[in-house]
Amino acid sequence: MSLDSATRERIESLLQNHRVVLFMKGTRQQPMCGFSAAATNTLNELLPEYHTVNVLEDPEIREGIKAYGDWPTIPQLYVGGELVGGADIIRQMYASGELHTLFGAAAPDRTPPEITITDKAAEAIRQGTANAQGLALHLEIGPDHSAGFQLAPGSDHDIVVSSNGIEVHFDPGSAQRAKGIVIDWVSTVQGEGLSLKFPGAQEIGTLTVQQLKERLAAGDITLVDVRPAHGRAAAAPLPQARILDEEGYETLANLPKDTAIAFICHHGVSSRGVAERFAAHGFTKIYNVEGGMDAWARDIDPTVPRY
C-alpha cells in the first residue's frame, strides 16, 4: 500500500505534536466499533488526556496510517511517535502492567476479587462453554460499569477467580470493579441471559409505555434514548428524550444521583443494560421502559414508525 507525501506529513505532524495518539473509529466519548471502545476504555484507566483521530471522518488518514506503520487494522496506538499496536496488544500490555510502565503509572493492583456465581448462572455457563476447549471465560468491566463476557485464550497475566466451580478471567481494572459482584441468570420479558449485580446497586424498576407517558406528562422523570443513530433515523426520539449518543455517559452521569431516569431503546433490551450501568454508579431511581419505542408506537402513538 502506497502512502503519498502529503498524508505522511499529516501523520508525522500529529505524532510530533502529541505524545500519545490513538487512531480509532469514532471519538473517545463515542467509539464507533468494539475494538476502538476497548482501546479507549483501557487508555482512560491510565491517562487523563491523550489525542484521538477519528479515521471515519478522514479516509486518507484511515488508509494512510495502515501503510505508515505497516499495520492493517484500526485502532492503532502510537506513543512517542512509535507504533505500539492495536486493541489486542493494548489489552495484553495493560494486563501485564507494561502499559502502566510505558505511561509512568503505578503498577496495577492484582488482588483477586470475591465474586458470586449463582447456581443458575453456573449451569448456564457450563452449558454454553461445553464445547469451548482451550478457551477461558473472560469478564471485562469498563470504567462506566459496562460489562461483557467473551471466550478467549487465557493469559499468564490474567487474574483468575473461581466461584461455584466456574473460573472467570479478569484484567486488573475489571478485577477491581468486580469486587462483590453477583453473576446471575435472569429471565425477563425480553429473554434470558447473564446479569451482573454490583454491591450497593439499586434494583432497576420497569415502566410500561403508558406509565412512561404519565410520568413525562407530570414532568417528574428524565427520559434517555439509547438507540444508535440508525434507530433514531427510523423512528425519531420522543420530544422529551435526551440522546445518549449526543450527550455521552459522562454528562448524564453527572446528574444528581436521585434523578429519576428512564431508559428507552427499540425493544427494551439494550436500554436495560444501560440502566444497569447507571444503577452501578449509585443512581437510585432507574427505570427501563418495557418494549421500548416499538411498544410506544403500538400502544401510545401509531404515527411513530415501527421498524
Side-chain angles (χ1 to χ4, degrees):
M1 185 184 299
S2 61
L3 177 61
D4 63 81
S5 59
T7 303
R8 179 181 294 276
E9 288 177 4
R10 290 178 60 204
I11 293 172
E12 290 178 343
S13 177
L14 285 166
L15 300 180
Q16 289 168 4
N17 292 332
H18 306 279
R19 178 173 181 263
V20 181
V21 182
L22 180 68
F23 295 88
M24 62 179 291
K25 295 179 181 179
T27 65
R28 180 176 178 176
Q29 292 74 28
Q30 188 179 341
M32 297 301 290
C33 79
F35 295 109
S36 291
T40 55
N41 278 342
T42 300
L43 294 180
N44 290 346
E45 289 278 319
L46 302 177
L47 297 174
E49 297 292 338
Y50 57 91
H51 190 72
T52 61
V53 178
N54 182 3
V55 300
L56 297 179
E57 296 181 346
D58 196 326
E60 293 178 352
I61 292 292
R62 180 176 185 172
E63 296 306 317
I65 194 62
K66 297 176 184 178
Y68 183 84
D70 194 22
W71 192 270
T73 57
I74 303 294
Q76 294 184 24
L77 175 65
Y78 278 77
V79 178
E82 299 294 328
L83 174 64
V84 173
D88 288 343
I89 289 179
I90 293 171
R91 189 176 76 84
Q92 292 165 11
M93 291 180 66
Y94 176 77
S96 69
E98 292 176 82
L99 206 59
H100 299 68
T101 301
L102 180 63
F103 295 138
D109 183 348
R110 305 190 66 83
T111 305
E114 292 187 5
I115 68 172
T116 299
I117 300 178
T118 66
D119 292 341
K120 285 185 177 181
E123 180 58 28
I125 291 171
R126 289 190 187 96
Q127 292 179 5
T129 59
N131 298 318
Q133 286 81 8
L135 299 178
L137 179 66
H138 295 255
L139 173 56
E140 294 187 6
I141 304 175
D144 58 359
H145 288 79
S146 59
F149 291 93
Q150 63 174 327
L151 290 171
S155 163
D156 292 339
H157 302 298
D158 292 344
I159 298 172
V160 184
V161 179
S162 180
S163 174
N164 210 344
I166 302 294
E167 281 194 350
V168 184
H169 291 233
F170 296 93
D171 62 60
S174 297
Q176 298 313 302
R177 287 184 284 271
K179 291 179 178 178
I181 64 167
V182 176
I183 301 173
D184 198 4
W185 182 261
V186 297
S187 299
T188 69
V189 294
Q190 290 84 26
E192 296 182 316
L194 291 172
S195 173
L196 267 64
K197 183 174 182 180
F198 293 85
Q202 295 290 319
E203 294 289 340
I204 297 169
T206 58
L207 291 178
T208 66
V209 287
Q210 183 61 46
Q211 290 171 325
L212 174 64
K213 179 182 177 182
E214 294 170 359
R215 296 288 296 269
L216 290 173
D220 66 354
I221 199 163
T222 296
L223 178 64
V224 178
D225 193 324
V226 308
R227 293 177 299 156
H230 64 83
R232 301 195 306 274
L238 300 181
Q240 306 94 324
R242 300 176 69 163
I243 310 303
L244 182 62
D245 275 357
E246 295 176 357
E247 297 199 41
Y249 282 98
E250 293 181 2
T251 299
L252 293 171
N254 286 326
L255 291 170
K257 291 295 189 285
D258 61 352
T259 303
I261 309 176
F263 295 90
I264 192 168
C265 64
H266 189 192
H267 290 293
V269 180
S270 59
S271 55
R272 183 168 187 85
V274 178
E276 289 175 348
R277 292 160 73 172
F278 276 77
H281 273 293
F283 284 85
T284 58
K285 299 176 182 177
I286 296 298
Y287 302 89
N288 184 49
V289 180
E290 290 185 343
M293 288 295 295
D294 188 67
W296 184 275
R298 183 188 67 231
D299 300 336
I300 303 298
D301 184 358
T303 67
V304 173
R306 299 182 70 181
Y307 60 100

